[in-house]
């Protein structure tokens, strides 16, 4: 009865308004969906792009493989060689037979070290044996310590008896002394606790003129270990020589 009382024009207008509202709602919903889809697409593209850039950077900065320098059988070469090979030796993920392969490949053919390694059949069981024989032959700490001490003595004798052009430049002398002292430290010879005999040896490497300069320097009477002060004096002279 109520519907019958509503005029036809008003009813038609109401229907048209509802249809227009519905059309507008559908259109608005479609635009919102399109924007949402585009946003997701942009995020996906950015994510893939960032991943690609990251992958490119990883490849770009890939470091080269480290090649172990072949051991020549000289005792003075042992510390530097073992410093590299030790990482392989202590790798728990490698089988002993693989470690044996690496050790054999690291020997310079024709040397005593090469012959020693080749004398053992290449098996996992023999790896501990060959390592024991190798370190006993070339890595004996007592013998290596004696060798590096002798090298220091050679520097003293060479520097004392050399004249003119045969005399080692200060920078070369410092590098050699520092190298031998670092090697001795690697063998457990601490420079501070062994300064009583290391200091006079290193000081004896100086020329008479340089000793006078050293004795007049501030470091000569400075606090702290005398050997450390002397090495610092060497370093200062070396830096000064580089600037000149």
């Amino acid at each position: 009865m109520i519907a019958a009382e509503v005029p036809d024009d008003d009813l038609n207008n109401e229907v048209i308004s509802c249809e227009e509202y519905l059309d507008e709602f559908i259109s608005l919903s479609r635009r919102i969906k399109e924007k949402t889809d585009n946003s997701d697409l942009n995020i996906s593209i950015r994510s893939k792009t960032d991943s690609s850039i990251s992958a490119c950077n990883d490849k770009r900065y890939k470091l080269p493989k480290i090649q172990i320098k072949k051991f020549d059988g000289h005792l003075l070469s042992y510390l530097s060689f073992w410093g590299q090979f030790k990482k392989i030796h202590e790798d728990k993920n490698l089988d002993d037979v693989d470690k044996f392969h690496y050790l054999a490949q690291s020997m310079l053919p024709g040397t005593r070290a090469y012959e020693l390694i080749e004398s053992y059949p290449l098996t996992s069981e023999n790896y501990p044996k060959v390592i024991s024989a190798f370190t006993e032959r070339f890595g004996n700490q007592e013998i290596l310590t004696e060798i590096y001490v002798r090298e220091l003595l050679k520097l003293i004798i060479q520097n004392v008896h050399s004249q003119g052009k045969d005399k080692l430049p200060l920078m070369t002398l410092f590098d050699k002394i520092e190298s031998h002292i670092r090697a001795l430290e690697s063998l457990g010879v601490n420079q501070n606790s062994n300064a009583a005999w290391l200091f006079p040896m290193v000081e004896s490497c100086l020329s008479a003129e340089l000793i006078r300069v050293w004795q007049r320097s501030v470091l000569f009477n400075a606090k702290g270990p005398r050997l450390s002060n002397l090495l610092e004096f060497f370093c200062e002279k070396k830096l000064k020589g580089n600037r000149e």
Side-chain angles (χ1 to χ4, degrees):
M1 296 294 294
I2 296 174
E5 295 176 358
V6 178
D8 291 340
D9 291 341
D10 292 343
L11 185 59
N12 290 334
N13 290 335
E14 186 70 22
V15 170
I16 292 171
S17 297
C18 288
E19 289 177 350
E20 290 177 350
Y21 175 79
L22 182 60
D23 290 340
E24 186 176 352
F25 175 77
I26 293 172
S27 177
L28 182 61
S29 298
R30 187 182 296 112
R31 288 200 298 271
I32 292 174
K33 187 176 185 305
E34 288 175 354
K35 288 185 177 181
T36 304
D37 291 343
N38 288 336
S39 177
D40 292 341
L41 179 61
N42 289 335
I43 292 173
S44 176
I45 291 173
R46 283 199 301 271
S47 177
K48 290 180 179 179
T49 303
D50 292 342
S51 299
S52 299
I53 292 172
S54 177
C56 289
N57 287 337
D58 290 342
K59 292 180 180 179
R60 183 178 179 182
Y61 295 106
K62 188 176 181 180
L63 296 174
K65 292 182 179 179
I66 298 175
Q67 292 185 348
I68 298 178
K69 185 179 179 181
K70 290 186 179 294
F71 182 60
D72 57 10
H74 294 149
L75 295 179
L76 288 173
S77 304
Y78 175 81
L79 288 179
S80 58
F81 168 76
W82 188 251
Q84 288 184 305
F85 189 80
K86 187 178 179 181
K87 186 175 181 180
I88 295 175
H89 176 64
E90 295 178 347
D91 191 341
K92 296 180 180 179
N93 296 321
L94 273 179
D95 293 332
D96 281 352
V97 68
D98 293 327
K99 295 177 183 179
F100 203 154
H101 271 290
Y102 283 119
L103 181 65
Q105 292 173 3
S106 301
M107 299 297 111
L108 191 66
T111 61
R112 291 184 303 150
Y114 179 85
E115 293 173 358
L116 173 66
I117 303 304
E118 287 293 310
S119 67
Y120 286 82
L122 207 158
T123 63
S124 296
E125 293 75 19
N126 280 332
Y127 178 70
K129 299 176 184 177
V130 75
I131 282 293
S132 177
F134 178 76
T135 53
E136 185 178 349
R137 177 80 62 86
F138 300 101
N140 185 294
Q141 289 200 0
E142 185 176 347
I143 294 175
L144 289 175
T145 301
E146 291 176 3
I147 288 175
Y148 281 104
V149 170
R150 287 197 187 103
E151 289 298 311
L152 278 174
L153 287 171
K154 284 182 184 178
L155 281 177
I156 296 172
I157 296 170
Q158 181 181 358
N159 218 46
V160 169
H161 293 286
S162 297
Q163 299 292 333
K165 294 181 180 180
D166 295 330
K167 210 173 191 65
L168 282 176
L170 181 62
M171 289 183 288
T172 304
L173 180 64
F174 172 77
D175 289 338
K176 285 182 175 291
I177 290 174
E178 189 176 40
S179 174
H180 295 330
I181 289 177
R182 296 291 174 262
L184 287 169
E185 285 183 339
S186 300
L187 294 166
V189 181
N190 183 274
Q191 62 170 281
N192 292 330
S193 57
N194 292 277
W197 59 272
L198 274 174
F199 174 78
M201 287 182 66
V202 175
E203 190 181 45
S204 299
C205 294
L206 301 176
S207 63
E209 180 183 353
L210 202 53
I211 285 179
R212 288 193 292 270
V213 176
W214 153 242
Q215 290 174 345
R216 290 196 300 267
S217 71
V218 177
L219 289 168
F220 183 76
N221 292 316
K223 293 182 179 180
R226 297 183 69 193
L227 181 57
S228 298
N229 293 340
L230 179 57
L231 292 176
E232 187 177 346
F233 169 77
F234 261 114
C235 189
E236 287 182 357
K237 290 297 177 184
K238 178 183 176 182
L239 293 174
K240 184 178 179 181
N242 286 336
R243 289 194 294 266
E244 290 177 350

